[in-house]
Amino acid sequence: MRSLFLLLVGFSLVAQELSLESLAAEVMRNKRNQDRDLTEYTYDYVYLYQYFNGKGKPGRKIKSEGETYQSSTNNVNVTLIWNDAPVEARTVEKKRLEAAKKLQADIDRRRARGGGGNGAGPEYGTDMFGLRMEIFKVLRNCPLTGLRTEMVDGRKTFVFDYGPAPGPVKGMAHLSQIRGSFWVDAEERIVRRWTGVVASGVSAGHRFWEEDYQKVPGRVWFAKRLWMNLNAELPGWKTDRVEWEARFSNHKRFGVEVEQKIEAPRP
């Protein structure tokens, strides 16, 4: 019992001594650095869509499964199964060829710029249904409060909250109307989970965003699950009424040849 007490006291002292601003800066730097490696991986995805009408009643459902490749700007997906029906092999091969060409074009553009200009890593976000969610803009523009510690899956984790941005944010106007929390791995200082909640209007308190990460062999933390629920009266947001969940697994390294052929994943 005494050891648990000392552990909790130690967590409290660390949280008090650590500046939220310095932690946020370190988290962004580490995420940019590790996200450079994402372009070397392929992984499997499952997308689940539930659409709703204007009154919030459920409508059509879509399930898409496949493999995805990350360029320096966006995911390039190859659908293998659509609503539980396998996609024709010829179509899959065509899509893989198109994916390889897109990835090669992305590599060529980066090489032409000298490898990315000032050397800064990418700042990825998620764009779905007219809404963008991006860790970097939240950490830069929203007030951060409530630093504390938790044990998550046996690892010490820093937890803190963010409130609505005090002013307009380019490309993410909704930041002035949301709040949420971050979970940061205390050892590697990388985001392992973050959430979003509507902070104002008739749908205040509505949970609309969750993103969870997992560490794969090596030093890369990948998104494991994304969830977005836009089935609500959202304050001025121009989005579809839809609930979307993405699950990712089976992360492997891959290569792109000059002939625009995606090689077999290597361990």
Side-chain angles (χ1 to χ4, degrees), residues 30-48:
N30 290 342
K31 183 158 178 58
R32 283 194 300 268
N33 288 340
Q34 77 106 44
D35 280 1
R36 288 193 183 99
D37 295 340
L38 296 188
T39 56
E40 299 178 9
Y41 285 82
T42 177
Y43 44 97
D44 299 334
Y45 71 86
V46 177
Y47 289 169
L48 303 170

Side-chain angles (χ1 to χ4, degrees), residues 15-16 68 79 92 107 114 123 139 147 149 164 192 195 232 235 239 257 267:
Q16 289 174 17
T68 189
T79 303
V92 171
I107 291 170
E123 295 193 354
L139 292 178
L147 180 61
T149 56
R192 60 179 303 159
T195 61
T239 68
E257 298 177 348

Side-chain angles (χ1 to χ4, degrees), residues 4-17 149 156:
L4 176 60
F5 173 76
L6 292 175
L7 178 65
L8 293 174
V9 169
F11 278 9
S12 177
L13 290 175
V14 169
Q16 289 174 17
E17 295 171 0
T149 56
K156 187 169 78 171

Side-chain angles (χ1 to χ4, degrees), residues 228-243:
M228 182 181 284
N229 184 358
L230 303 176
N231 183 29
E233 293 290 339
L234 301 174
W237 302 5
K238 297 180 180 179
T239 68
D240 294 337
R241 276 212 167 198
V242 60
E243 180 179 358

Side-chain angles (χ1 to χ4, degrees), residues 45-100:
Y45 71 86
V46 177
Y47 289 169
L48 303 170
Y49 303 82
Q50 171 66 73
Y51 286 87
F52 302 86
N53 65 19
K55 295 183 179 180
K57 299 293 185 180
R60 64 189 175 116
K61 290 184 177 180
I62 296 174
K63 182 179 182 182
S64 173
E65 303 176 58
E67 57 197 25
T68 189
Y69 304 85
Q70 179 72 55
S71 79
S72 66
T73 56
N74 65 290
N75 291 83
V76 181
N77 292 337
V78 177
T79 303
L80 303 179
I81 300 174
W82 183 265
N83 282 341
D84 297 323
V87 176
E88 188 178 14
R90 288 183 302 174
T91 301
V92 171
E93 187 62 27
K94 177 182 177 182
K95 293 299 181 182
R96 282 178 173 156
L97 182 63
E98 291 175 358

Side-chain angles (χ1 to χ4, degrees), residues 90-121:
R90 288 183 302 174
T91 301
V92 171
E93 187 62 27
K94 177 182 177 182
K95 293 299 181 182
R96 282 178 173 156
L97 182 63
E98 291 175 358
K101 289 179 178 178
K102 289 179 182 178
L103 292 170
Q104 187 64 54
D106 176 72
I107 291 170
D108 293 342
R109 282 193 299 271
R110 282 187 286 154
R111 285 175 178 167
R113 295 196 304 265
N118 61 10

